[in-house]
Amino acid sequence: MELPELFCDICLQLNVKRFASVWCSECGEKKCEECEQKHQVQKATRHHNTIAIEDFQLLPDSIANIRQECEFHKETFEFYCHIHYIPLCKCCITEQHKECTELKPLQEIVKNVKESVAFEDLEHRVKDVLEIVTKIAKVQHENRTHLEGKHADIIAEVEFVKTIVNSHLDQLKQDLLNQLTEHQEHTNRVIKSLDDMKRSVGAIRNELTKSKEHASDFQTFLYINEWDSKVQKYETEINAVEYHEGKIELTIELSLILEQIIHAITEFGVLDVSFSNPERLSLRKDRHGHLFIRTPNLLNRVKLTNIETVRIPKKLKTFPRNIIRGCDMLSDGRLVLVDMINKKLMLMDLNGTCAKYLNLKNESYDAAVIEDSLVAVTLVEKKEVVIIDLNCSEIQRSFPVTNRCFGIVFKDGKFYVCCDHRMVQVVLLSGEIFSTLSLVEPATYCSMFNDKLYFATQYLSNGVYCCDFNGNVH
């Protein structure tokens, strides 16, 4: 299809019509060759990325219409709120997001978004859904052909019996055919649903491809949640039982007692529907050895039981509320809690009461038990880990880490500390940095299990990753 000619937005303001040659997503304007030359050398815009106007026209409207300017304040978006999942200008922060603690520079968030794990996962999931829809649709089309062929067979058998007891069996014949029709209609509904789903998912794939090639990182990032929501809807639908019935095998059992047929038979026959070797197709993908299967209903099966309620004494609160960021358990079952906002390390008895506490001078985040009397605590802004003796409630020693530190775990004589800039630093008991693991996303908390490191993220993916001690995701 031939694309319409578009005019330069700058020239139009001067009442001049020149055909546009490029699109700048950061300016939100179409530019002709002459205006683009100035755009490339001006100090404020020389680093703007542009795309050919033909590529811009290939973008879906939902992507192309995303702008980098706040529609309320007419200022450029500079931050992203991880609490409300929206971009913000400076006025937005001042007026409506003063209390939001999860604000990040937008440039940092959208950088390399099309190479991110979230975008790659989305591409794989779209591919998986399309493949499974295609396979299931193939089976259902074969079912329809089989049912259409059986339709003639059933009519022939029915007509044979009908010659003997035609007047009594006419209605029963219709009842039987209605059963068959129901299966045909059901199969047609399933096929139509699969065709619709295949078209929709195919459209998403096209959007992903075009966005990856032509959209800005900002546009792509803002639309990831929309794509993810649609794909998750189709992932849920594709798990419906009716999509996994397998090949249909249909036979009929006719009642053959002819001398009693008029008085004893109340139905013409029963359709015996069976499915040969139904294949349950699961949504999964294997990337870097990582099996990815969405099972959203599993959480509904978990039944939580309250074992004990831990109550923080009011006298320990400098602020009206507590923010318990970290906790660990001693071998005797007592809990060590880290109150970030009130800057306290608390030791809680088995009955949920506070046995003792230690005031910390700096903002703390997480704790890891070394042994029954020693606990390591991360100090975020100080970029430091302190070792605390619980018996005397004193800091024994400390050691620095490279960046701001968050979650911590202690295993086999080593500390694993989650730090800024997508890294986990491995530190010996002596405080010497043993190694540094590079991660796919910034980590907040980490844990160890079966010689694997698990870490949680709270940025693009809000996920939990499993990796080896080289940082390779499993």
Side-chain angles (χ1 to χ4, degrees):
M1 183 179 69
E2 187 175 346
L3 299 174
E5 297 284 359
L6 299 178
F7 295 103
C8 173
D9 291 324
I10 298 175
C11 293
L12 285 177
Q13 295 180 29
L14 302 173
N15 296 320
V16 176
K17 282 190 175 183
R18 288 196 182 99
F19 291 126
S21 61
V22 298
W23 163 262
C24 178
S25 61
E26 296 183 60
C27 298
E29 291 180 326
K30 301 179 288 292
K31 302 179 188 296
C32 63
E33 292 182 358
E34 183 177 332
C35 292
E36 170 58 6
Q37 290 178 356
K38 299 175 183 176
H39 179 257
Q40 289 178 353
V41 297
Q42 288 176 338
K43 185 176 181 180
T45 59
R46 66 178 62 159
H47 298 298
H48 287 192
N49 293 320
T50 60
I51 61 172
I53 199 67
E54 294 82 6
D55 295 336
F56 169 73
Q57 291 177 287
L58 294 175
L59 286 173
D61 290 342
S62 53
I63 303 298
N65 292 333
I66 294 176
R67 297 292 181 265
Q68 286 196 319
E69 184 182 83
C70 175
E71 61 177 316
F72 302 107
H73 304 111
K74 307 305 178 186
E75 290 192 7
T76 303
F77 290 128
E78 295 186 32
F79 295 89
Y80 187 80
C81 178
H82 280 289
I83 296 175
H84 298 97
Y85 301 103
I86 55 173
L88 307 172
C89 68
K90 290 181 179 178
C91 291
C92 291
I93 297 175
T94 304
E95 294 177 7
Q96 298 176 325
H97 294 264
K98 290 181 180 178
E99 305 300 321
C100 295
T101 58
E102 299 292 336
L103 300 179
K104 297 291 179 182
L106 192 57
Q107 232 176 2
E108 175 185 322
I109 294 297
V110 304
K111 184 179 179 181
N112 298 326
V113 66
K114 284 184 278 189
E115 287 77 41
S116 68
V117 174
F119 193 87
E120 186 179 346
D121 282 347
L122 200 55
E123 288 183 304
H124 279 281
R125 288 161 57 197
V126 168
K127 179 184 176 184
D128 289 346
V129 172
L130 277 174
E131 287 178 354
I132 291 179
V133 168
T134 301
K135 289 179 181 178
I136 298 175
K138 181 177 180 293
V139 173
Q140 294 298 334
H141 279 290
E142 290 173 355
N143 286 348
R144 180 166 64 183
T145 302
H146 175 78
L147 289 170
E148 288 171 350
K150 282 293 181 179
H151 189 273
D153 294 343
I154 290 174
I155 291 180
E157 292 185 47
V158 168
E159 290 297 333
F160 174 75
V161 179
K162 180 182 172 185
T163 57
I164 302 173
V165 284
N166 188 61
S167 60
H168 178 69
L169 298 180
D170 274 347
Q171 183 59 48
L172 297 180
K173 180 194 73 173
Q174 190 59 48
D175 293 342
L176 182 63
L177 292 177
N178 287 343
Q179 293 180 51
L180 178 62
T181 301
E182 286 180 11
H183 285 286
Q184 290 177 299
E185 290 176 349
H186 170 73
T187 302
N188 287 332
R189 286 195 300 271
V190 172
I191 290 173
K192 183 181 182 302
S193 175
L194 289 167
D195 288 342
D196 293 343
M197 192 184 302
K198 186 174 180 180
R199 281 194 297 272
S200 300
V201 178
I204 296 175
R205 180 179 62 183
N206 291 337
E207 290 181 359
L208 285 172
T209 301
K210 291 178 181 178
S211 298
K212 189 171 184 178
E213 294 176 357
H214 309 301
S216 70
D217 286 348
F218 172 75
Q219 293 170 323
T220 304
F221 170 75
L222 276 197
Y223 213 69
I224 277 183
N225 284 338
E226 181 70 21
W227 284 322
D228 186 84
S229 176
K230 292 178 181 177
V231 174
Q232 186 170 352
K233 170 177 173 287
Y234 294 130
E235 288 172 334
T236 301
E237 291 179 2
I238 205 66
N239 280 320
V241 174
E242 63 180 1
Y243 291 144
H244 301 271
E245 293 172 338
K247 270 192 176 180
I248 193 169
E249 292 290 334
L250 189 145
T251 58
I252 184 171
E253 295 179 4
L254 294 176
S255 304
L256 301 177
I257 309 176
L258 297 181
E259 62 272 17
Q260 299 179 5
I261 196 168
I262 294 179
H263 303 288
I265 304 302
T266 58
E267 58 184 19
F268 215 108
V270 177
L271 289 175
D272 182 14
V273 180
S274 62
F275 300 92
S276 61
N277 300 322
E279 180 185 2
R280 181 75 178 184
L281 301 173
S282 299
L283 286 167
R284 64 177 66 198
K285 67 180 181 64
D286 187 13
R287 185 182 58 78
H288 300 306
H290 173 58
L291 188 62
F292 185 81
I293 306 177
R294 285 185 173 258
T295 52
N297 294 327
L298 288 180
L299 288 178
N300 297 330
R301 304 175 192 171
V302 177
K303 294 183 179 179
L304 300 178
T305 302
N306 183 30
I307 299 175
E308 189 60 70
T309 299
V310 176
R311 302 190 183 280
I312 311 300
K314 291 183 179 179
K315 65 179 182 179
L316 300 185
K317 297 182 181 181
T318 306
F319 295 91
R321 62 193 180 110
N322 300 91
I323 297 183
I324 306 299
R325 285 289 192 185
C327 71
D328 204 352
M329 182 178 288
L330 301 177
S331 61
D332 59 5
R334 291 181 298 168
L335 286 177
V336 177
L337 302 181
V338 177
D339 186 343
M340 181 179 182
I341 193 169
N342 291 293
K343 300 177 182 177
K344 284 182 172 58
L345 177 70
M346 294 174 285
L347 178 62
M348 313 302 290
D349 277 336
L350 299 179
N351 59 7
T353 60
C354 182
K356 60 172 62 177
Y357 67 92
L358 175 66
N359 289 317
L360 302 169
K361 295 181 180 180
N362 303 94
E363 180 181 285
S364 51
Y365 199 93
D366 197 13
V369 172
I370 303 171
E371 55 187 47
D372 283 350
S373 61
L374 290 180
V375 176
V377 177
T378 53
L379 304 181
V380 182
E381 300 297 336
K382 200 173 181 183
K383 304 175 185 177
E384 190 176 79
V385 176
V386 294
I387 309 297
I388 297 173
D389 189 333
L390 295 176
N391 290 334
C392 58
S393 299
E394 291 180 356
I395 296 176
Q396 274 196 350
R397 57 192 175 87
S398 64
F399 57 85
V401 289
T402 306
N403 299 296
R404 291 195 312 160
C405 49
F406 305 97
I408 184 172
V409 64
F410 180 77
K411 180 78 171 177
D412 298 331
K414 299 184 185 73
F415 298 99
Y416 295 81
V417 186
C418 298
C419 298
D420 265 346
H421 305 303
R422 301 182 180 184
M423 67 171 63
V424 168
Q425 289 203 312
V426 185
V427 186
L428 301 177
L429 262 174
S430 62
E432 178 186 356
I433 295 178
F434 179 76
S435 64
T436 298
L437 308 182
S438 296
L439 307 178
V440 293
E441 287 198 47
T444 51
Y445 293 95
C446 61
S447 186
M448 306 283 291
F449 182 72
N450 284 349
D451 295 324
K452 294 290 187 295
L453 176 69
Y454 293 79
F455 64 91
T457 68
Q458 59 179 14
Y459 291 91
L460 288 178
S461 64
N462 289 320
V464 175
Y465 288 83
C466 170
C467 70
D468 59 25
F469 295 132
N470 294 319
N472 298 318
V473 173
H474 288 264

